[in-house]
Each structure stands twice: as C-alpha cells, then as structure tokens.
Amino acid sequence: DVKVTQSSRYLVKRTGEKVFLECVQDMDHENMFWYRQDPGLGLRLIYFSYDVKMKEKGDIPEGYSVSREKKERFSLILESASTNQTSMYLCASGGRDTQYFGPGTRLTVL
Amino acid sequence: GNSVTQMEGPVTLSEEAFLTINCTYTATGYPSLFWYVQYPGEGLQLLLKATKADDKGSNKGFEATYRKETTSFHLEKGSVQVSDSAVYFCALSTYFGNEKLTFGTGTRLTIIP
C-alpha cells in the first residue's frame, strides 16, 4: 500500500519561530510537492521538487523554503512563522498522472 | 495560465439523490483531468481521472467525462450515500515532466439520511 506520511497532524507555534514540516514517501517517486489548503482557496502549490536537491517555486513560495536531501524526504521550512501562515499543509508525491497525499498538518501560529 | 473553476458549495442532498458537481478548466495543451476527494480529517485521495478527450473516468459509482469542446469535467453519481459526504476537488495537470496539479477551490458535499 502506497504511503505518504507527515511528521505531525497538529502543530502550534509562536510568531517568529522556525518551523519544520517533514514528509516521507515510500513509493520511490521523483516528484514531491507541498501545498497549503485554505477555505475558499482550494490547494495552492508552495514548492515542488523533481529530484534530490532540486526544487522549484510554486504559486505561493514567499515565506517558505524547502529541503530535499534524500529522495524519500521533502521538508517544508517556515523561517520565521507568521500568523498568516496558519493553515493546513499537505504533502504529496507523484507518479505519472497521479499524486498521493499525506494526511496533512494543521499548523496554528499564535 | 492554467485554471480550474468548480461549482461553489456547500451542496446538501438527500440520500439516493442524483449528484452533479460542475468543473470547467482553462489550460494550454492537452491536460489530464482529475477528481480528488477529501474525507473529514484526511488528506486528499484520487477519485478518478481522464487523460484524453472523450475518456470517462469512473470509481465508486462516480463518473466524469473529459469534454474538450466544452472544457469540462463534471462529476456525477446516480445515487449518493451518507458516506459520500466529503470535499471534492477538480484538478488538472499539463505534463511537462513534473506533474504539477492546478486545483479548483473544492466543493463540500453533505448527504443527509
């Protein structure tokens, strides 16, 4: 059974903290993605990676960075968390024509 | 650029009713089209897909047909169940080697017994 796991289901952080969200996939996919999900806005792509150490900006990269040191792991980093980054964060990995999603991390920044 | 427009929600139906959720798209080239579903407290999962014009995707009683002439991919089900209550997302990808998905805003569906 294919699996994408995310390090936390719920996270509460304070403004200005550095936040790491981790994602691991076991399908040997080259492509991995980070989205944020907000009511009325659907899913918006933050960053994606098509190979180890490779990354591309998505539609809303401001305030985020990513790291992909190993094929199976893709990390999203909030360098200095702000309240407008309170959201649901979804990781996905992609085979051809299909993306598999993790359960999501609900991040609250106070 | 690419965009997906889907029916505003929320949608509330009685059990066994007929369901349609509209989805239209704008894309360059020949996109693949998808419906994803998100059950409460879970991540998204692929419901069905179609990769070329006139293809019909189907799964769990849901169907959608890729209509190039109307740039549409409407989701239908003949008889909904309470367990179909979820948020449904229409999406497209234009394959340039990295399978980026563009999503609609989602439609929340609630089925009442």
Side-chain angles (χ1 to χ4, degrees):
Chain A
D1 212 13
V2 298
K3 207 163 202 178
V4 178
T5 56
Q6 295 184 228
S7 50
S8 306
R9 292 299 300 271
Y10 300 94
L11 211 51
V12 179
K13 295 292 182 181
R14 298 210 173 271
T15 301
E17 280 193 78
K18 191 168 186 175
V19 182
F20 293 87
L21 303 181
E22 305 283 337
C23 175
V24 178
Q25 53 103 354
D26 66 358
M27 294 164 281
D28 203 36
H29 287 151
E30 292 178 347
N31 301 324
M32 295 187 74
F33 307 82
W34 276 106
Y35 297 89
R36 63 177 281 176
Q37 181 182 6
D38 299 289
L41 297 176
L43 274 74
R44 294 177 292 168
L45 182 65
I46 305 171
Y47 267 96
F48 66 99
S49 169
Y50 52 90
D51 202 351
V52 174
K53 296 192 187 295
M54 306 301 287
K55 60 186 179 185
E56 291 268 349
K57 293 180 180 179
D59 300 318
I60 51 163
E62 295 79 19
Y64 303 95
S65 62
V66 290
S67 172
R68 185 131 181 239
E69 297 295 321
K70 294 185 177 180
K71 191 175 186 180
E72 67 271 17
R73 189 179 296 270
F74 190 35
S75 301
L76 180 69
I77 303 156
L78 287 66
E79 295 289 342
S80 177
S82 63
T83 55
N84 63 13
Q85 293 178 310
T86 291
S87 186
M88 171 72 86
Y89 290 88
L90 292 168
C91 174
S93 72
R96 186 178 180 120
D97 282 333
T98 302
Q99 286 189 20
Y100 298 89
F101 284 80
T105 296
R106 185 166 292 284
L107 172 67
T108 301
V109 182
L110 302 175
Chain B
N2 297 336
S3 67
V4 176
T5 303
Q6 66 179 99
M7 184 171 166
E8 291 282 335
V11 174
T12 302
L13 294 173
S14 297
E15 204 166 21
E16 299 183 3
F18 184 86
L19 169 72
T20 301
I21 300 178
N22 291 337
C23 172
T24 57
Y25 67 89
T26 303
T28 53
Y30 301 96
S32 295
L33 301 173
F34 307 85
W35 278 100
Y36 280 82
V37 58
Q38 185 178 35
Y39 297 105
E42 299 183 13
L44 275 70
Q45 54 186 274
L46 179 67
L47 179 60
L48 54 84
K49 67 181 180 185
T51 57
K52 62 182 188 297
D54 299 323
D55 269 2
K56 178 185 282 188
S58 61
N59 186 24
K60 300 183 180 180
F62 291 89
E63 292 182 339
T65 301
Y66 188 142
R67 301 283 188 205
K68 187 166 178 288
E69 64 276 12
T70 54
T71 61
S72 65
F73 193 55
H74 305 319
L75 182 68
E76 296 182 336
K77 187 174 185 183
S79 176
V80 292
Q81 306 300 313
V82 171
S83 57
D84 294 326
S85 298
V87 181
Y88 292 81
F89 292 91
C90 186
L92 68 82
S93 74
T94 49
Y95 179 62
F96 294 114
N98 52 42
E99 293 132 23
K100 285 175 60 177
L101 282 172
T102 300
F103 284 89
T105 54
T107 302
R108 181 175 297 279
L109 173 67
T110 302
I111 308 300
I112 53 176

Coordinates of all heavy atoms in Angstrom, one line a residue, chain A residues 9 31 33 35 37 40-43 45 48 50 57 59 90 94-104, chain B residues 32 34 36 38 41-46 49 51 87 89 93 95 97-106:
Chain A
R9 N 0.3 15.8 12.9 CA -1.1 16.1 12.4 C -1.5 17.5 12.8 O -2.2 18.2 12.1 CB -2.1 15.1 13.0 CG -1.9 13.7 12.4 CD -2.2 13.6 10.9 NE -3.5 14.1 10.5 CZ -4.5 13.3 10.4 NH1 -4.5 12.0 10.7 NH2 -5.7 13.8 9.9
N31 N 9.1 13.0 -8.0 CA 8.4 14.3 -7.7 C 7.7 14.4 -6.3 O 7.0 13.4 -6.0 CB 7.3 14.6 -8.8 CG 7.8 14.6 -10.2 OD1 9.0 15.0 -10.4 ND2 7.1 14.1 -11.1
F33 N 5.7 17.4 -3.5 CA 5.0 18.7 -3.6 C 4.6 19.1 -2.2 O 4.3 18.2 -1.3 CB 3.8 18.6 -4.4 CG 4.0 18.0 -5.8 CD1 4.0 16.6 -6.0 CD2 4.1 18.9 -6.9 CE1 4.2 16.1 -7.3 CE2 4.3 18.3 -8.2 CZ 4.3 17.0 -8.3
Y35 N 1.7 21.7 -0.6 CA 0.6 22.6 -0.8 C 0.1 23.2 0.6 O 0.3 22.5 1.6 CB -0.6 21.8 -1.4 CG -0.4 21.2 -2.7 CD1 0.1 19.9 -2.8 CD2 -0.8 21.9 -3.9 CE1 0.2 19.3 -4.1 CE2 -0.6 21.3 -5.1 CZ -0.1 20.0 -5.2 OH 0.0 19.4 -6.4
Q37 N -3.7 24.4 2.1 CA -5.1 24.4 1.9 C -5.8 25.4 2.8 O -5.7 25.3 4.0 CB -5.7 23.0 2.1 CG -7.2 22.8 1.8 CD -7.7 21.4 2.1 OE1 -7.0 20.6 2.6 NE2 -8.9 21.2 1.8
G40 N -12.1 28.2 0.8 CA -12.4 29.1 -0.3 C -11.3 29.3 -1.3 O -11.5 29.9 -2.4
L41 N -10.1 28.8 -1.0 CA -9.0 29.0 -1.9 C -8.5 27.6 -2.5 O -7.6 27.6 -3.4 CB -7.8 29.7 -1.2 CG -8.1 31.1 -0.7 CD1 -6.9 31.6 0.1 CD2 -8.4 32.0 -1.9
G42 N -9.0 26.5 -2.0 CA -8.5 25.3 -2.5 C -7.1 25.0 -2.1 O -6.7 25.4 -1.0
L43 N -6.4 24.2 -2.9 CA -5.0 23.9 -2.6 C -4.1 24.8 -3.5 O -4.4 24.9 -4.7 CB -4.7 22.5 -3.0 CG -5.0 21.4 -1.9 CD1 -6.5 21.2 -1.7 CD2 -4.3 20.1 -2.2
L45 N 0.0 25.5 -4.5 CA 1.3 24.9 -4.5 C 2.3 25.9 -4.0 O 2.5 27.0 -4.5 CB 1.7 24.5 -6.0 CG 3.0 23.8 -6.1 CD1 3.0 22.4 -5.4 CD2 3.3 23.6 -7.6
F48 N 7.8 22.6 -5.2 CA 7.9 21.2 -5.6 C 9.3 20.8 -5.9 O 10.2 21.7 -6.1 CB 6.9 20.8 -6.7 CG 7.2 21.5 -8.0 CD1 7.9 20.8 -9.0 CD2 6.8 22.7 -8.3 CE1 8.2 21.4 -10.2 CE2 7.0 23.3 -9.5 CZ 7.7 22.7 -10.5
Y50 N 11.6 17.9 -8.2 CA 11.6 16.8 -9.1 C 12.8 15.9 -9.1 O 13.0 15.0 -9.9 CB 11.4 17.3 -10.6 CG 12.3 18.4 -11.0 CD1 13.5 18.1 -11.5 CD2 12.0 19.7 -10.7 CE1 14.4 19.1 -11.9 CE2 12.9 20.7 -11.1 CZ 14.1 20.4 -11.7 OH 15.0 21.4 -12.0
K57 N 9.9 26.8 -7.3 CA 8.9 27.6 -6.6 C 7.5 27.3 -7.3 O 7.4 27.1 -8.5 CB 9.1 29.1 -6.8 CG 10.4 29.5 -6.0 CD 10.6 31.0 -6.1 CE 11.8 31.5 -5.4 NZ 12.1 32.9 -5.5
D59 N 3.2 28.5 -6.7 CA 2.5 29.7 -6.8 C 2.6 30.7 -5.6 O 2.5 31.9 -5.8 CB 1.0 29.4 -7.0 CG 0.8 28.5 -8.2 OD1 1.4 28.8 -9.3 OD2 0.0 27.5 -8.1
L90 N -0.3 20.2 3.1 CA -0.4 18.9 2.5 C 0.8 18.6 1.7 O 1.2 19.4 0.9 CB -1.7 18.8 1.7 CG -3.0 18.8 2.4 CD1 -4.2 19.0 1.4 CD2 -3.2 17.6 3.2
G94 N 4.4 12.2 -6.5 CA 3.7 12.0 -7.8 C 4.3 10.9 -8.7 O 5.5 11.1 -9.0
G95 N 3.5 10.0 -9.0 CA 3.8 9.1 -10.2 C 3.2 9.8 -11.4 O 2.6 10.9 -11.3
R96 N 3.3 9.1 -12.5 CA 2.7 9.7 -13.7 C 1.2 9.8 -13.6 O 0.5 8.9 -13.4 CB 3.1 8.9 -14.9 CG 2.6 9.5 -16.2 CD 3.0 8.8 -17.5 NE 2.6 9.5 -18.6 CZ 3.3 9.9 -19.6 NH1 4.6 9.8 -19.5 NH2 2.9 10.6 -20.6
D97 N 0.7 11.0 -13.7 CA -0.7 11.3 -13.8 C -1.4 11.1 -12.5 O -2.6 11.1 -12.4 CB -1.4 10.6 -14.9 CG -1.2 11.2 -16.2 OD1 -0.9 12.4 -16.3 OD2 -1.2 10.5 -17.2
T98 N -0.7 10.8 -11.4 CA -1.4 10.6 -10.1 C -0.5 11.2 -9.0 O 0.7 10.9 -9.0 CB -1.7 9.1 -9.8 OG1 -2.5 8.6 -10.8 CG2 -2.4 9.0 -8.5
Q99 N -1.1 11.9 -8.1 CA -0.4 12.4 -6.9 C -1.0 11.7 -5.6 O -2.3 11.6 -5.6 CB -0.4 13.9 -6.7 CG 0.5 14.6 -7.7 CD 0.6 16.0 -7.5 OE1 0.4 16.5 -6.4 NE2 1.1 16.8 -8.5
Y100 N -0.2 11.3 -4.7 CA -0.6 10.6 -3.5 C -0.3 11.6 -2.3 O 0.8 12.1 -2.2 CB 0.2 9.3 -3.3 CG -0.1 8.3 -4.4 CD1 0.7 8.3 -5.5 CD2 -1.1 7.4 -4.2 CE1 0.5 7.4 -6.5 CE2 -1.3 6.5 -5.3 CZ -0.5 6.5 -6.4 OH -0.8 5.6 -7.4
F101 N -1.3 11.8 -1.5 CA -1.3 12.8 -0.5 C -1.1 12.2 0.9 O -1.6 11.2 1.2 CB -2.5 13.7 -0.5 CG -2.6 14.7 -1.6 CD1 -2.9 14.3 -2.9 CD2 -2.2 16.0 -1.4 CE1 -3.0 15.2 -3.9 CE2 -2.3 16.9 -2.4 CZ -2.7 16.5 -3.7
G102 N -0.4 13.0 1.7 CA -0.3 12.7 3.1 C -1.6 13.2 3.8 O -2.4 13.8 3.2
P103 N -1.7 12.9 5.1 CA -2.9 13.2 5.9 C -3.0 14.7 6.2 O -4.1 15.2 6.6 CB -2.8 12.4 7.1 CG -1.3 12.2 7.3 CD -0.8 12.1 6.0
G104 N -1.9 15.5 6.1 CA -1.9 16.9 6.3 C -1.4 17.2 7.7 O -1.5 16.4 8.7
Chain B
S32 N -4.4 16.5 -18.4 CA -5.1 15.4 -17.8 C -6.0 16.0 -16.7 O -5.6 17.0 -16.1 CB -4.1 14.4 -17.1 OG -3.3 13.8 -18.1
F34 N -8.6 15.4 -13.2 CA -8.8 14.6 -12.1 C -9.9 15.1 -11.2 O -10.2 16.3 -11.1 CB -7.5 14.7 -11.2 CG -6.2 14.4 -12.0 CD1 -5.6 15.4 -12.7 CD2 -5.7 13.1 -12.0 CE1 -4.4 15.1 -13.4 CE2 -4.5 12.8 -12.6 CZ -3.9 13.9 -13.4
Y36 N -10.4 14.7 -7.0 CA -9.8 14.2 -5.8 C -10.9 14.4 -4.7 O -11.7 15.3 -4.8 CB -8.6 15.0 -5.3 CG -7.3 14.5 -6.0 CD1 -7.0 15.0 -7.3 CD2 -6.5 13.6 -5.4 CE1 -5.8 14.6 -7.9 CE2 -5.3 13.2 -6.0 CZ -5.0 13.7 -7.2 OH -3.8 13.3 -7.8
Q38 N -11.7 14.5 -0.4 CA -11.1 14.6 1.0 C -12.2 14.3 2.0 O -13.1 15.1 2.2 CB -10.5 16.0 1.2 CG -9.8 16.2 2.5 CD -9.2 17.6 2.6 OE1 -9.8 18.6 2.1 NE2 -8.0 17.7 3.2
G41 N -11.0 14.9 8.1 CA -9.8 14.6 8.9 C -8.8 13.9 8.1 O -7.8 13.4 8.7
E42 N -8.9 13.8 6.8 CA -8.0 13.0 6.0 C -7.3 13.9 4.9 O -7.8 15.0 4.6 CB -8.6 11.8 5.4 CG -9.2 10.8 6.4 CD -9.8 9.6 5.7 OE1 -9.5 9.4 4.5 OE2 -10.5 8.9 6.4
G43 N -6.3 13.4 4.3 CA -5.7 14.0 3.1 C -6.5 13.7 1.9 O -7.5 13.1 1.9
L44 N -6.1 14.3 0.8 CA -6.8 14.0 -0.5 C -6.5 12.6 -1.0 O -5.4 12.1 -0.9 CB -6.4 15.1 -1.5 CG -7.1 16.4 -1.5 CD1 -6.8 17.2 -0.3 CD2 -6.9 17.2 -2.8
Q45 N -7.4 12.1 -1.7 CA -7.2 10.8 -2.4 C -7.8 10.9 -3.8 O -8.9 11.5 -4.0 CB -7.7 9.6 -1.7 CG -9.1 9.6 -1.2 CD -9.4 8.4 -0.4 OE1 -9.8 7.4 -0.9 NE2 -9.4 8.6 0.9
L46 N -7.1 10.3 -4.8 CA -7.6 10.3 -6.1 C -8.9 9.5 -6.2 O -9.0 8.4 -5.8 CB -6.6 9.7 -7.1 CG -7.0 9.7 -8.5 CD1 -7.1 11.1 -9.1 CD2 -5.9 8.9 -9.3
K49 N -9.9 9.8 -12.9 CA -9.1 10.7 -13.8 C -9.4 10.3 -15.2 O -9.9 9.2 -15.5 CB -7.6 10.5 -13.5 CG -7.0 9.2 -13.9 CD -5.5 9.1 -13.5 CE -5.0 7.7 -13.9 NZ -3.6 7.6 -13.5
T51 N -7.4 11.1 -19.1 CA -6.1 11.7 -19.7 C -6.3 12.2 -21.1 O -5.3 12.8 -21.6 CB -5.0 10.7 -19.6 OG1 -5.4 9.5 -20.3 CG2 -4.7 10.3 -18.2
V87 N -15.3 16.7 0.8 CA -14.9 17.8 -0.1 C -14.3 17.2 -1.4 O -13.4 16.4 -1.3 CB -14.0 18.8 0.6 CG1 -13.7 20.0 -0.3 CG2 -14.5 19.3 1.9
F89 N -12.5 18.0 -5.1 CA -11.6 18.9 -5.8 C -11.5 18.4 -7.2 O -11.1 17.3 -7.5 CB -10.3 19.0 -5.1 CG -10.2 19.6 -3.8 CD1 -10.4 18.8 -2.6 CD2 -10.1 21.0 -3.6 CE1 -10.3 19.4 -1.4 CE2 -10.1 21.6 -2.4 CZ -10.2 20.8 -1.3
S93 N -3.6 18.6 -14.8 CA -2.1 18.7 -14.9 C -1.8 18.8 -16.4 O -2.4 18.1 -17.2 CB -1.4 17.5 -14.3 OG -1.6 16.4 -15.0
Y95 N 1.4 17.9 -18.5 CA 2.6 17.1 -18.1 C 3.8 17.7 -18.9 O 3.9 17.6 -20.1 CB 2.4 15.6 -18.6 CG 3.6 14.8 -18.3 CD1 4.0 14.6 -17.0 CD2 4.2 14.1 -19.3 CE1 5.1 13.8 -16.7 CE2 5.3 13.3 -19.1 CZ 5.8 13.2 -17.8 OH 6.9 12.4 -17.5
G97 N 6.8 16.8 -17.3 CA 7.8 16.1 -16.6 C 7.7 16.2 -15.1 O 8.5 15.6 -14.3
N98 N 6.9 17.1 -14.6 CA 6.8 17.2 -13.1 C 5.4 17.2 -12.6 O 5.2 17.3 -11.4 CB 7.5 18.5 -12.7 CG 7.0 19.7 -13.4 OD1 5.8 19.8 -13.6 ND2 7.8 20.6 -13.8
E99 N 4.4 17.0 -13.4 CA 3.0 16.7 -13.0 C 2.5 17.7 -12.0 O 1.9 17.3 -11.0 CB 3.0 15.3 -12.4 CG 3.2 14.2 -13.4 CD 4.2 13.2 -12.9 OE1 4.4 13.0 -11.7 OE2 4.9 12.6 -13.8
K100 N 2.7 19.0 -12.2 CA 2.1 20.0 -11.3 C 0.6 19.9 -11.5 O 0.1 19.9 -12.6 CB 2.6 21.4 -11.7 CG 4.0 21.7 -11.3 CD 4.5 23.0 -11.8 CE 3.6 24.1 -11.3 NZ 4.1 25.5 -11.8
L101 N -0.1 20.0 -10.4 CA -1.5 20.0 -10.4 C -2.1 21.4 -10.1 O -1.5 22.1 -9.2 CB -2.1 19.1 -9.3 CG -2.1 17.6 -9.6 CD1 -2.5 16.8 -8.4 CD2 -3.0 17.2 -10.8
T102 N -3.1 21.8 -10.8 CA -3.8 23.0 -10.5 C -5.2 22.6 -10.0 O -5.9 21.8 -10.7 CB -4.0 23.9 -11.8 OG1 -2.6 24.2 -12.3 CG2 -4.7 25.2 -11.5
F103 N -5.6 23.1 -8.9 CA -6.8 22.7 -8.2 C -7.9 23.7 -8.3 O -7.6 24.9 -8.3 CB -6.6 22.4 -6.7 CG -5.9 21.1 -6.5 CD1 -4.5 21.0 -6.4 CD2 -6.6 19.9 -6.2 CE1 -3.9 19.8 -6.1 CE2 -6.0 18.7 -6.0 CZ -4.6 18.7 -5.9
G104 N -9.2 23.3 -8.3 CA -10.3 24.2 -8.1 C -10.4 24.4 -6.6 O -9.6 23.9 -5.8
T105 N -11.3 25.2 -6.2 CA -11.5 25.6 -4.8 C -12.1 24.6 -3.9 O -12.1 24.7 -2.7 CB -12.2 26.9 -4.7 OG1 -13.5 26.8 -5.3 CG2 -11.5 28.1 -5.3
G106 N -12.7 23.5 -4.5 CA -13.3 22.5 -3.7 C -14.8 22.7 -3.5 O -15.3 23.9 -3.4

